[in-house]
Amino acid sequence: MLEGGKSFFNAVMKESLKQQSQNQPGQLKIAQRLRMDQTRLDEVTRRVKLGRPEGFAILLALQGPIDRQAPAPEPGLQARLLRHLVTYLRNKEAAGVVSLPAAKEGGAGAMLYAFPPGDFSQQYLQAAKRTVGNLDEEHMVIVIVTDTN
């Protein structure tokens, strides 16, 4: 976690993963893409600012080790490297979007945006440079904000 509220992040992710089978590792599925035009990026930035100090989370995603012996998460799905998703999103000039359920009954849900390396994600990494150093490997910046829709 680079910035944001740990309690917000924990509540949102706990609710998201609770809705999945306990026999499988948690999965988040990108259902939409967010075009990387300035108007849409400004909206994400606005949502982050509205969420301060505890209603947002910014994370750095890196490729972890892959367990080749693990069963596929779902029939027909394959384990893929993070770089494949980064390449896909770069080619589409988009961020991935995941809608997350409300952390509390009747509360607002949250939106997760997965940004490939680029100018927009770089602004969030700048503040964290002392923590993460230079990133030579593929990575994504994950922004989670309360859904205001």
Side-chain angles (χ1 to χ4, degrees), residues 24-38:
Q24 297 179 357
Q27 295 179 18
L28 299 175
K29 295 181 182 177
I30 293 175
Q32 300 174 356
R33 293 187 310 248
L34 176 80
R35 262 194 352 252
M36 299 276 246
D37 64 46
Q38 196 57 50

Side-chain angles (χ1 to χ4, degrees), residues 8 12 43 46-48 50-51 54-57 100 107-113 143-149:
F8 169 75
V12 167
E43 177 62 17
R46 184 185 72 79
R47 287 181 174 195
V48 168
L50 282 174
E54 288 291 320
F56 78 105
L100 302 172
M111 298 299 288
L112 181 151
Y113 301 96
V143 176
I144 304 173
V145 293
T146 301
D147 189 7
T148 57
N149 290 340

Side-chain angles (χ1 to χ4, degrees), residues 1-17 27-30 34 41 43-61 95-103 108-115 120-121 123-124 140-148:
M1 180 175 279
L2 301 175
E3 189 180 350
K6 283 188 178 182
S7 59
F8 169 75
F9 172 73
N10 288 336
V12 167
M13 296 313 294
K14 181 180 177 184
E15 190 59 36
S16 297
L17 299 177
Q27 295 179 18
L28 299 175
K29 295 181 182 177
I30 293 175
L34 176 80
L41 297 176
E43 177 62 17
V44 172
T45 301
R46 184 185 72 79
R47 287 181 174 195
V48 168
K49 288 179 182 172
L50 282 174
R52 291 190 190 276
E54 288 291 320
F56 78 105
I58 299 174
L59 303 109
L60 176 64
V97 179
V98 178
S99 181
L100 302 172
M111 298 299 288
L112 181 151
Y113 301 96
F115 291 96
F120 185 76
S121 62
Q123 71 181 338
Y124 292 107
M140 296 183 72
V141 170
I142 308 298
V143 176
I144 304 173
V145 293
T146 301
D147 189 7
T148 57

